[in-house]
Amino acid sequence: MTGGAPLPRERGPLSAAVLEVLRGGGPVRGPDAAAADPFGDDLQLALYLAYEPHYRDLAGVAAEREWDPALLGLRRPMEEAFLAALRAAVPAARAEGADGGVAAAVEELLVDPVDGEGVSYRLAADGDWRGVREYLAHRSLYQLKESDPQVWLIPRLEGQAKASLVAVAYDEFGGGRGERVHARLFAELMEGAGLDSSYGRYVDVAPAATLATVNVMSLFGLHRALRGAAAGNFAVLEITSPPGARRMVKALERLGAQERCLRFFEEHVEADAVHEQVMRRDVLGDLLAREPGLAADVAFGIRATVWLDERWDAAVLTAWDAGRSSLREPLPEPPAGLGDRAG
Ligand SMILES: [Fe+2]
Ligand SMILES: [Fe+2]
């Protein structure tokens, strides 16, 4: 990686202020985060950019900016606004038994209707390359740093929950083999779909609904006080992954995609069948046995993740149904020969 990820264009006063601090450092009078739409483009892009120095280089941004008090000062009110809006929006956990609604929330995740609504259902049924490529561009914001936001959780766990979370993470990071790191498999999938796999390439065209699905992981992961919600978030990713991945394999096979396009999803059909069990029984189970007080937060983490995912699905499908791109700008036409099954 040379030069770092490109900086996207600002989308309002909050993102403009964060970009100014990233480029130059030093205090910037922050606009009022509480006045912004907590799920809107400006706040979500600003928050995304405020988190990014924790993960990767940004073009023209000093690595030291990660702990710049000016950046952290802008970030905090945005996090508070986002978190408050999530708590208000997410359906309250039904207080079932002593587990704060965790079992009920997990139970709902395990239901995968055959005729469900959602982007992967649509792509499996009749998706074309244009749809698949948009899906991959959205997902690239997270998948090119897959599991990085979840490993903030490791020092915040103990005992079996820690051991089991690390066992899952070991697979996410390739089981000791660099070429099997899931983020690497996703990059190969993008390349096989004729997309640019460089990190951060599609941030500028990603709508707020996409940014929010990644920001919630950074928010939960970077705050020890939210470790219960972070565990709930990770559990959702692992539990809902195999059926979604199966649908994407179906879509890609129908389109005659190259072998390198299938590997990422095939890996997730297989590995996540095991991860699902480990996350439920050994990570959530052990965490709640140690810290029963976290139950409501675990349930909140699960429900907030599902709520943001469903919102993203709805936004993408609404755009497609209206004949529009689901990105802020349409991607170039798919290159010829994508479905040739070569490579
Ligand atoms: Fe993975
Ligand atoms: Fe997994």
Side-chain angles (χ1 to χ4, degrees):
M1 186 174 52
T2 51
L7 289 178
R9 292 164 291 180
E10 63 183 66
R11 298 186 198 174
L14 290 167
S15 47
V18 169
L19 282 164
E20 194 182 332
V21 170
L22 286 172
R23 287 194 181 104
V28 162
R29 212 165 57 88
D32 185 8
D37 173 0
F39 300 117
D41 269 303
D42 188 31
L43 188 140
Q44 289 299 325
L45 179 66
L47 195 50
Y48 187 91
L49 289 171
Y51 285 136
E52 210 41 37
H54 287 301
Y55 296 110
R56 302 287 192 280
D57 278 334
L58 289 164
V61 175
E64 290 72 24
R65 212 60 76 218
E66 180 179 2
W67 297 107
D68 189 324
L71 187 61
L72 300 178
L74 287 176
R75 189 176 99 188
R76 192 61 195 138
M78 296 194 287
E79 290 182 314
E80 282 165 355
F82 183 35
L83 187 59
L86 277 176
R87 288 205 190 274
V90 169
R94 283 170 276 139
E96 271 146 306
D99 82 338
V102 172
V106 168
E107 215 48 55
E108 285 168 32
L109 293 178
L110 293 171
V111 180
D112 186 64
V114 193
D115 56 348
E117 258 297 301
V119 173
S120 64
Y121 286 95
R122 182 74 66 88
L123 292 175
D126 58 4
D128 58 8
W129 274 113
R130 203 172 302 177
V132 166
R133 281 158 49 88
E134 286 201 5
Y135 171 93
L136 297 176
H138 284 283
R139 289 295 180 200
S140 68
L141 272 65
Y142 168 61
Q143 303 298 168
L144 291 177
K145 58 170 172 259
E146 187 182 328
S147 289
D148 287 351
Q150 283 77 37
V151 294
W152 303 120
L153 194 48
I154 295 172
R156 283 129 203 222
L157 298 176
E158 289 183 64
Q160 191 59 51
K162 186 195 283 272
S164 294
L165 185 112
V166 170
V168 171
Y170 179 73
D171 292 341
E172 303 299 336
F173 296 118
R177 295 168 61 193
E179 77 279 8
R180 301 293 301 174
V181 173
H182 289 185
R184 178 67 224 146
L185 297 180
F186 193 83
E188 284 163 16
L189 158 60
M190 291 181 79
E191 287 154 21
L195 291 165
D196 184 346
S197 68
S198 17
Y199 185 89
R201 166 66 180 74
Y202 296 104
V203 172
D204 194 45
V205 295
T210 307
L211 296 166
T213 62
V214 190
N215 284 337
V216 76
M217 301 177 194
S218 302
L219 170 67
F220 291 166
L222 287 165
H223 292 267
R224 197 175 67 83
L226 295 172
R227 64 194 179 284
N233 171 273
F234 198 1
V236 175
L237 303 189
E238 297 301 326
I239 293 171
T240 59
S241 162
R246 223 171 280 129
R247 286 190 284 275
M248 291 307 297
V249 168
K250 198 174 155 197
L252 288 162
E253 279 180 341
R254 189 165 38 69
L255 292 171
Q258 298 171 5
E259 176 54 34
R260 62 178 166 164
C261 289
L262 297 174
R263 244 171 264 146
F264 173 85
F265 290 115
E266 284 170 348
E267 166 74 15
H268 284 84
V269 171
E270 222 169 279
D272 285 344
V274 180
H275 292 173
E276 176 218 307
Q277 305 275 331
V278 175
M279 285 303 300
R280 283 165 59 196
R281 197 187 47 225
D282 304 329
V283 178
L284 295 187
D286 187 65
L287 173 64
L288 292 176
R290 279 165 204 279
E291 296 191 88
L294 290 182
D297 263 2
V298 171
F300 166 67
I302 292 173
R303 291 181 187 281
T305 305
V306 170
W307 188 82
L308 288 169
D309 285 348
E310 287 178 350
R311 222 171 135 269
W312 177 81
D313 272 300
V316 171
L317 292 181
T318 301
W320 287 353
D321 288 341
R324 284 187 281 112
S325 167
S326 62
L327 297 163
R328 286 162 53 82
E329 281 168 26
L331 296 171
E333 283 301 306
L338 279 186
D340 289 352
R341 276 229 162 254

